[in-house]
Amino acid sequence: MRILHFADLHLGKNLSGFSLRDDQAYILDEILNIARREGVDALVLAGDVFDRANPSQEALELFDQFISRLAAEALPLYLVSGNHDSASRLGYGRTLFAQQGIHLGAQIQDQAQVFTLGEGEDRLDLYLLPYARRYDLRQVLAARETGPDYSQASYQDLMAAYLAPSLDRVRRRRAEGIPSMILAHLWLVNRDQDSLVSESEFPSLGMVEQVPLDLFADFDYVALGHLHRPQEVSPRAVYPGSPLAYSASEANQDKRVIIIESQAGQIQWKAQPLQPLYPVRKIQGAFADLLDPVQTPDPEAYIFAELTDNQLVLDASLKLQARYPKLCGLIFSAYAQAAKQASHTAKQAFSTQEFPDLFARFFQQETGHALKASQADLVGQVLADLQEGGQA
C-alpha cells in the first residue's frame, strides 16, 4: 500500500502581489505526476487546501480540475480542513464526492472518521482529524452521553479526550497486525526540539494551539499539515511542508511530498522533491553588484533582495525591478544596522547633556551660527516657564 502525503496548498495565495495561479497549477501537475510514477494507491492532503475561508473562483477552479483528474484516474484522495479553510464550504457535497473517491474530512464528528485502506497484510487504518478549535472540541465532547465537564479544559486535555475512543481502536487493531495513521492539520510539538516556522504562517500561528507529540504516540504515522518548512517532529510524525515557497523565509528552500509505504504491518516513508515552475530566491549584495547582468539569476524567479550598501539608494526598488521583474521585497540591511547603531550612539551622547546645550548644538547645525547670549537667555527663560507650568 503506497500513499502520497502532501499539505498546505493555499490555493489562491499570492506572493507580494504576484499571482501564483500558474505556479500552483504547475505544482499540482507535479504532484499528480509523482503519484503516477510512484504507483501510489491514494493521496492524503493535510489541510489548508485554500488560502482563504472564502476562496476565489480561480482557486476553486484549480482544485476542481485537480480532483477531477484524480477521480478520472481512480486515485482516491483523503483530505482534512486546515485553519485557513472554511470547514462548511470545504465539506459541501462530501457524500457525492465520496462516490468519486474524494473523501472530505472537513468537520470533526463524535469520533475521528476512519477508513481501512489496502488489502490483506498491507492494510492500514487511516483516521481523519480536521482542524478543530477549542469551541469545536467542547461541542463534540459535550454531546457525548458520559464524561466530565470540559468547559474549562485546556486544548491538550480536550484533544486527548476527543482522541480517546479512536486510540482504543488503534491499540486493538495493532494487536491484529494492522497499523494506523492519522491525517491531521495542527501544530504538533516535540519537547526535545523547536518547530521550524515560516513568515507565511505568522498571521495564523497565534490562533493555532500547540499539541504535544505524546498524544499521538500510538499511531504508526502522523501525516501532518500546517507548518510550511519540511520537518519531522519525530521519525513517525512528518510535515511535508507547503509545495511552494510562500515567503522570503522559504526562499531557496527544497520542497517535497512524502511517499508512505505500508507492508506487512510496518509503515515507512521517503521524501520526493518538488520542482517549482519559477523559484523563489533571496539575493544579497551591493546595489551596483545586483544590477550586474552577470549576477542576474533566472529572470522569471521571485526575488527578495537584501542590499549591503551603507547608504540609501534613490529609487532602488524601481531600478532593481528592471533587472528582476518579480521583485517581491527589498531591505537595506547594512544601512538599517548603521542607522540603528548611530541612533544608539546619539542617545548615549545626548543622555549626558542638558537641554540648553542640546538646543544650542541643534541651532548651530541648522543655521550654521552659534547661539547668541541673548538667545541662550531666552531659551533658558522659556524652559524655566515650561517647567513651572508643568509643576503647577
Side-chain angles (χ1 to χ4, degrees):
M1 183 73 191
R2 292 167 70 82
I3 300 169
L4 188 151
H5 168 206
F6 64 122
D8 296 282
L9 293 177
H10 288 272
L11 299 179
K13 188 176 181 64
N14 64 56
L15 185 61
S16 299
F18 291 101
S19 171
L20 295 176
R21 192 268 174 207
D22 291 343
D23 303 77
Q24 292 182 328
Y26 180 87
I27 213 66
L28 287 174
D29 286 344
E30 282 290 292
I31 291 170
L32 185 53
N33 288 336
I34 292 173
R36 292 170 179 147
R37 187 169 65 245
E38 291 290 328
V40 304
D41 302 289
L43 295 86
V44 294
L45 172 52
D48 280 354
V49 178
F50 300 107
D51 191 53
R52 297 184 305 176
N54 185 20
S56 65
Q57 184 65 32
E58 192 174 76
L60 290 168
E61 289 174 357
L62 269 179
F63 190 58
D64 177 61
Q65 292 165 10
F66 179 65
I67 60 176
S68 295
R69 293 164 68 188
L70 292 178
E73 299 189 29
L75 274 173
L77 172 68
Y78 300 84
L79 67 86
V80 295
S81 58
N83 58 300
H84 279 252
D85 298 312
S86 164
S88 59
R89 288 190 177 93
L90 189 62
Y92 178 77
R94 62 185 181 276
T95 303
L96 181 61
F97 280 122
Q99 296 173 13
Q100 302 299 317
I102 310 299
H103 303 279
L104 309 175
Q107 295 175 310
I108 61 169
Q109 303 171 354
D110 181 51
Q111 295 183 32
Q113 290 179 270
V114 59
F115 299 85
T116 299
L117 281 58
E119 298 178 352
E121 65 176 9
D122 294 337
R123 285 178 298 168
L124 68 84
D125 288 341
L126 171 65
Y127 293 79
L128 304 189
L129 179 59
Y131 174 68
R133 298 172 177 82
R134 290 194 189 204
Y135 174 79
D136 303 319
L137 292 169
R138 286 196 184 109
Q139 274 199 320
V140 169
L141 294 173
R144 292 179 179 174
E145 294 182 1
T146 58
D149 177 14
Y150 287 100
S151 59
Q152 302 301 318
S154 67
Y155 189 79
Q156 177 178 336
D157 290 340
L158 290 168
M159 184 62 72
Y162 176 75
L163 288 174
S166 297
L167 291 176
D168 288 340
R169 185 180 192 277
V170 167
R171 296 174 189 125
R172 291 197 307 271
R173 298 284 279 180
R174 177 179 291 134
E176 301 171 16
I178 301 173
S180 299
M181 64 179 287
I182 187 166
L183 180 65
H185 189 93
L186 44 77
W187 192 358
L188 196 65
V189 294
N190 187 338
R191 293 187 179 92
D192 298 327
Q193 66 187 49
D194 294 329
S195 299
L196 302 176
V197 299
S198 304
E199 293 170 3
S200 53
E201 298 149 8
F202 289 166
S204 63
L205 280 180
M207 300 185 295
V208 180
E209 308 214 37
Q210 294 183 342
V211 182
L213 175 64
D214 300 351
L215 290 185
F216 296 85
D218 288 310
F219 290 98
D220 296 277
Y221 184 86
V222 187
L224 292 164
H226 180 58
L227 299 184
H228 292 183
R229 284 179 178 268
Q231 57 196 283
E232 292 81 56
V233 185
S234 80
R236 297 190 301 177
V238 181
Y239 285 99
S242 59
L244 294 172
Y246 289 133
S247 66
S249 62
E250 298 166 67
N252 308 324
Q253 192 177 97
D254 293 330
K255 295 297 188 177
R256 66 181 186 176
V257 295
I258 302 297
I259 303 297
I260 305 161
E261 185 164 3
S262 175
Q263 188 174 21
Q266 300 294 319
I267 292 181
Q268 297 182 336
W269 64 271
K270 65 179 181 179
Q272 280 292 333
L274 289 170
Q275 297 299 325
L277 178 62
Y278 303 120
V280 177
R281 303 289 187 213
K282 185 180 287 185
I283 59 176
Q284 182 185 51
F287 178 74
D289 292 338
L290 294 187
L291 285 181
D292 186 344
V294 177
Q295 303 293 332
T296 304
D298 180 356
E300 295 292 341
Y302 298 97
I303 297 295
F304 290 89
E306 180 179 346
L307 296 185
T308 57
D309 302 79
N310 288 324
Q311 299 295 325
L312 286 175
V313 178
L314 188 63
D315 294 331
S317 181
L318 289 174
K319 294 172 182 175
L320 285 173
Q321 280 177 340
R323 181 73 65 192
Y324 310 101
K326 293 181 180 177
L327 182 66
C328 296
L330 174 65
I331 60 172
F332 286 81
S333 56
Y335 173 78
Q337 182 61 35
K340 182 179 180 180
Q341 182 59 44
S343 175
H344 178 70
T345 302
K347 285 181 180 178
Q348 287 183 319
F350 292 157
S351 64
T352 61
Q353 297 186 35
E354 298 294 332
F355 180 81
D357 296 330
L358 290 174
F359 184 84
R361 289 183 59 184
F362 170 75
F363 183 87
Q364 185 162 10
Q365 288 174 356
E366 292 297 311
T367 65
H369 303 288
L371 199 64
K372 296 179 180 178
S374 58
Q375 293 171 323
D377 291 342
L378 180 59
V379 171
Q381 183 59 49
V382 170
L383 179 59
D385 292 342
L386 289 173
Q387 290 174 337
E388 290 179 3
Q391 292 173 356

